[in-house]
Amino acid sequence: MDGQYLISGVLALFLGIVLLFKTFGKEKRRVSKKGGRGDCYVKSSVDGGFRPEDDGSTDIVIVGAGVAGAALAYTLGKEGRRVRVIERDLTEQDRIVGELLQPGGYLKLLELDLADCVQTIDAQRIIGYALFKDGKHTQLSYPLEKFHSDVAGRGFHNGRFIQRMREKAATLPNVTLEQGTVTSLIEEKGTVKGVQYKTKAGEELKAYAPLTVVCDGCFSNLRRNLCTPKVDVPSHFVGLVVENCDLPLPNHGHVVLADPSPILFYPISSTEIRCLVDVPGQKLPSVASGEMAKYLKTKVAPQVPPELYKAFIAAIDKGNIKSMPNRSMPANPQPTPGALLMGDAFNMRHPLTGGGMTVALSDIVVLRNLLRPLQDLNNASALCSYLESFYTLRKPVASTINTLAGALYKVFCASPDPARKEMREACFDYLSLGGLCSSGPVSLLSGLNPRPMHLVCHFFAVAVYGVGRLCLPFPSLKRMWLGARLIKGASGIIFPIIRDEGVRQMFFPATVPAYHRAPPVN
């Protein structure tokens, strides 16, 4: 009996040691997984590096934390999604575009609970435009009568605005912002599983999620995996900060219909005015050699409103001249399971009208509403099919703003063609008529009434008005011929843009099957 008890005791002791060892080993592994950046890292036998474990700890990876990425991170985080944002540089940037938010974009900020991000950055209210041409000017006010008194456009430093949105997104416990350069998408059998990226220290890491949203801006190196890009660069913006002066019309954006192309002025702080000079073509005068300063002083400065002339010359002499290519790219997506494109990586328009942020914020509202019914994002193929509706639902707003930007830029540029000259003159005079002729186009420009049919009606109303100016009171064959060329020229401006945007999606979205796509069953 004593021998049996002895043997039983030894076996019990052995089993206890085994259980204790296993328990200790599990606890040790559990503790080791808590280190690092808050992710789980396991040794990879394939590449010898470390990678975040695909453990379902992230719902959505967002590439880029600019306007689109930061706003999307906060929006989806507020919806309860576990969001991980990877941004190349999280420091505040000094950019010359993305500094004018239209009232329609501000309404989207309100809808997304992000309007407070413009309250603490010295942003300036914008309540309309002033249009200058050949010594004449006209005032175009936003139709804000039906909205709350806080609704207006905003001019601000782009970097300050983005930093505020990043800070607000980072306050959510389920949103993580990390600095790193995404080098590629991780794909398995045609499905995007996440991204591979490099940290500032040069460490190669991977991040996994059921959905990857690429918002890495106009210079995106990932868009070719997710769309067929057709990028056009018609001109560059040359940017200056004008100080120590007042705009002719306070709290207005100013557009000068100069030769060869428009000049913009608008406030970005209580002491600074942004000036953007459009320079057509692919090649810019050299800043380093002084050619740019000479061009600005001899060609541009004489066309600047007299109230701004001295401050404009002083800004040139100060020497902080920046430039940025003006890119346009129609949205041409290739639906890919596990991934989605947004922002300037997906769709661009000429920045003349300042519509880019309005489009991006409107797209975020559409995507948020589409994702709301979904609790599980792991069925990549079903989610991809469902999100095809995103490309149709966004079209009426996005295509209206895109088309207006492209068409206005072509109309506002000087041309030796007599028909184009007449169209430019007719546009200025039509907007100067006031009433519906002013409020209608401005409601389109501001994003307050982004309706494609209204855009086409006003555009051709300008053309018909131009023909009427030519043919009244006594038409001649020469003037009638010029009027016919004006109509032809107007058609040649707007119809190619509409074709690229997609006629059916733009004007008849409800006829597209994806428009009615129902959420997949979880």
Side-chain angles (χ1 to χ4, degrees), residues 304-323:
V304 167
E307 300 94 327
L308 301 171
Y309 180 83
K310 287 183 179 179
F312 180 75
I313 295 295
I316 298 170
D317 291 336
K318 191 173 181 179
N320 188 21
I321 301 173
K322 297 178 178 291
S323 65

Side-chain angles (χ1 to χ4, degrees), residues 30-71:
R30 193 178 298 119
V31 171
S32 69
K33 286 184 179 182
K34 291 181 181 177
R37 295 178 176 81
D39 301 300
C40 299
Y41 292 90
V42 296
K43 187 73 174 178
S44 170
S45 60
V46 177
D47 55 19
F50 288 87
R51 65 178 177 80
E53 187 178 355
D54 188 7
D55 62 351
S57 62
T58 303
D59 295 319
I60 298 169
V61 167
I62 297 176
V63 182
V67 172

Side-chain angles (χ1 to χ4, degrees), residues 39 172 176 182 233 279 371 422 450:
D39 301 300
L172 298 175
T176 303
V182 175
V233 185
V279 180
L371 292 179
E422 287 293 335

Side-chain angles (χ1 to χ4, degrees), residues 329-360:
M329 185 183 79
N332 191 8
Q334 295 175 349
T336 305
L340 193 73
L341 265 176
M342 290 193 74
D344 283 349
F346 172 51
N347 183 206
M348 294 180 282
R349 75 292 309 149
H350 196 285
L352 172 70
T353 58
M357 289 188 287
T358 301
V359 171

